[in-house]
Amino acid sequence: MFNIKEKGSTVQKEIVAGLTTFFTMSYIIVVNPIILQDAGVPFEMSFIATVIATIVGTLIMGLFANYPIAIAPAMGLNAYFAYSVVQAHKGLTYETAFAAVFVAGVLFVLLSLTPLRTKLIEVIPSNLKNAITAGIGLFIAFIGLRMSGLVVDHPSNLVALGNLHSPSVVLTLIGLAITLVCLALNVNGALFIGMLGTGIIATLMGKLSFNKGIVAVPKLPEQLAVTHPVDAFQDVVQFGLYAVVFSFLLVTLFDTTGTVLGVAKQAKLMDGDHLPRGERTILADSVATLVGSIFGTSPTSAYIESASGVATGGRTGLTAVVVALLFAASAFFSPLVSAVSGLSAITAPALIVVGSLMMGHVANIKWDRIDEAFPAFLVILSMPLTSSIATGIALGFVSYPLMKLFKGEGKNVHPLVYVFSLLFLFQLVFLPH
């Protein structure tokens, strides 16, 4: 069903890859409800909604698209939902805000059923595709460094080296050493072994405990966030949430497209510049966003942490199915998942190593041509510095056609690139981030 042998993988590799991806992204189960609480969303509602949206999107990605990529509520979009939408609009309830997410989800599903879904992936210039992969690599590595405390805030320089004596940093360095040694020795499942070893050491050091137990029965929400689809559209019109819907739609579309391209390139699943079954990856995310809005969570996206599973050997949708099953189980093991995901030193080494692996794609960028090199450079630079994949892609889309026009090669740029360049320019200048 998954063509595991054809992809050069094994069932064992796929399962280990699923475990690795799950543990590197399991923090979302806890972090997403905490952020949405600031918008007034009950923790129990967003917790179950996070799990349901992740299961739905990831299962479609695994069973229908056959890619080792997980779908879950997007970090960044949840903050945008809580602070730039709900808190910034006086009198706006989280139910009404979810109506905007629902409408964006409906439009996203309709968009994913049109030829534009595959055309979008195809028209992204080759250099920008390589830059997106490398930029995501830097972004992942920066997340790992920041989570672990290896990099900290600085009042003047924004970032600085953290305290190398802190337990979190020491554990991260130990995990990094275990992972790198396993990689150097070509040990299968090196990233997962590194996480497991770090977890055992953390437990022995008393930094990882299970005081809240291991198993807990999940509580289903008493009501849905969106109960009447027609009312959702009416709420968007009544409160004038058009810009919110546009932002959700544009950012989610390109977040997913960029991540899928980056991970697929890393896994060598691309057919030249073409992504097989690319339209199915967009459909997986759009349906997850739609379902998530109904149960009570912000828009979903393909997760960059999926690259950690790919680095472990995941090549097919079986990896995604394993992730989905683990998220289903996590609903019953929330104390255990909360304890593990709460200690960033366990997952940070995997993110740092994956970032280094993805950076290799810079070798494929035409650095000797400024009209190709500078847009790629902007993508790579801006993703980690703005903490946004979509912003990096936006700057690449805006600068690429401009450079080509100045170079006198404007005719070589696909018309869709100009269209999205204008859309991104509008979004960057006039809409909140």
Side-chain angles (χ1 to χ4, degrees):
M1 178 178 179
F2 297 103
N3 299 320
I4 294 174
K5 288 184 180 179
E6 292 179 17
K7 302 293 182 183
S9 184
T10 64
V11 172
Q12 182 183 356
K13 283 183 180 180
E14 297 293 312
I15 293 173
V16 171
L19 284 164
T20 304
T21 297
F22 170 75
F23 281 113
T24 54
M25 64 178 287
S26 60
Y27 65 87
I28 193 64
I29 303 175
V30 179
V31 174
N32 192 52
I34 289 174
I35 292 175
L36 293 181
Q37 267 188 318
D38 290 341
V41 185
F43 185 91
E44 292 78 11
M45 171 184 273
S46 54
F47 174 80
I48 291 297
T50 299
V51 173
I52 291 173
T54 302
I55 292 171
V56 170
T58 306
L59 276 181
I60 295 174
M61 183 68 80
L63 296 173
F64 188 53
N66 196 21
Y67 279 108
I69 299 171
I71 300 285
M75 288 297 293
L77 283 176
N78 50 11
Y80 175 76
F81 176 92
Y83 309 120
S84 297
V85 179
V86 178
Q87 291 189 5
H89 294 75
K90 290 184 178 180
L92 186 70
T93 64
Y94 71 82
E95 291 94 344
T96 304
F98 278 130
V101 179
F102 177 81
V103 172
V106 171
L107 295 176
F108 197 10
V109 170
L110 293 176
L111 184 64
S112 69
L113 298 174
T114 68
L116 181 63
R117 58 191 181 181
T118 50
K119 203 66 180 174
L120 176 61
I121 295 174
E122 293 172 2
V123 301
I124 298 178
S126 179
N127 269 11
L128 290 188
K129 287 178 181 176
N130 287 307
I132 288 168
T133 305
I136 289 173
L138 276 184
F139 186 19
I140 286 177
F142 183 63
I143 289 173
L145 291 169
R146 192 180 61 199
M147 284 169 48
S148 65
L150 272 167
V151 167
V152 294
D153 294 338
H154 190 277
S156 302
N157 298 328
L158 298 181
V159 292
L161 183 66
N163 179 12
L164 297 181
H165 298 283
S166 73
S168 176
V169 172
V170 172
L171 273 173
T172 300
L173 293 175
I174 292 173
L176 198 57
I178 294 172
T179 305
L180 290 173
V181 168
C182 289
L183 282 172
L185 297 175
N186 295 318
V187 177
N188 289 329
L191 295 178
F192 183 71
I193 291 171
M195 292 164 62
L196 185 62
T198 308
I200 293 171
I201 294 171
T203 304
L204 295 174
M205 291 174 61
K207 298 299 177 184
L208 180 61
S209 60
F210 306 99
N211 299 329
K212 296 181 180 179
I214 295 177
V215 181
V217 179
K219 295 180 180 179
L220 293 174
E222 295 180 1
Q223 63 180 30
L224 299 175
V226 177
T227 53
H228 302 289
V230 175
D231 290 345
F233 281 87
Q234 289 177 345
D235 287 342
V236 168
V237 174
Q238 181 181 347
F239 289 89
L241 299 176
Y242 308 110
V244 174
V245 171
F246 175 76
S247 290
F248 280 144
L249 183 61
L250 193 64
V251 172
T252 306
L253 176 63
F254 277 87
D255 244 5
T256 295
T257 302
T259 302
V260 168
L261 283 176
V263 176
K265 265 188 165 294
Q266 181 67 16
K268 296 181 174 61
L269 298 175
M270 298 284 289
D271 182 12
D273 282 340
H274 173 67
L275 179 67
R277 306 175 307 284
E279 70 282 356
R280 300 185 182 188
T281 65
I282 304 298
L283 184 63
D285 187 24
S286 61
V287 173
T289 294
L290 187 62
V291 172
S293 68
I294 293 172
F295 283 92
T297 188
S298 48
T300 60
S301 179
Y303 253 60
I304 53 177
E305 283 84 354
S306 303
S308 62
V310 166
T312 307
R315 292 294 181 272
T316 75
L318 181 57
T319 294
V321 171
V322 171
V323 174
L325 292 175
L326 289 170
F327 265 94
S330 70
F332 297 89
F333 292 89
S334 56
L336 173 65
V337 174
S338 177
V340 174
S341 62
L343 188 63
S344 55
I346 294 177
T347 55
L351 299 181
I352 296 168
V353 171
V354 169
S356 72
L357 297 175
M358 296 183 75
M359 277 301 295
H361 288 271
V362 296
N364 300 321
I365 297 172
K366 300 173 184 176
W367 294 109
D368 56 336
R369 293 184 55 182
I370 190 63
D371 56 318
E372 296 279 350
F374 188 74
F377 168 73
L378 269 184
V379 172
I380 295 170
L381 181 69
S382 57
M383 279 188 187
L385 294 185
T386 63
S387 294
S388 171
I389 295 171
T391 298
I393 295 173
L395 292 174
F397 260 82
V398 170
S399 60
Y400 186 85
L402 280 176
M403 293 295 292
K404 288 297 183 181
L405 284 171
F406 293 142
K407 189 81 172 176
E409 298 179 4
K411 293 181 179 179
N412 298 331
V413 179
H414 195 281
L416 268 180
V417 175
Y418 286 110
V419 172
F420 279 104
S421 175
L422 293 174
L423 290 175
F424 271 125
L425 187 63
F426 173 79
Q427 193 250 351
L428 288 170
V429 176
F430 296 106
L431 300 181
H433 301 282

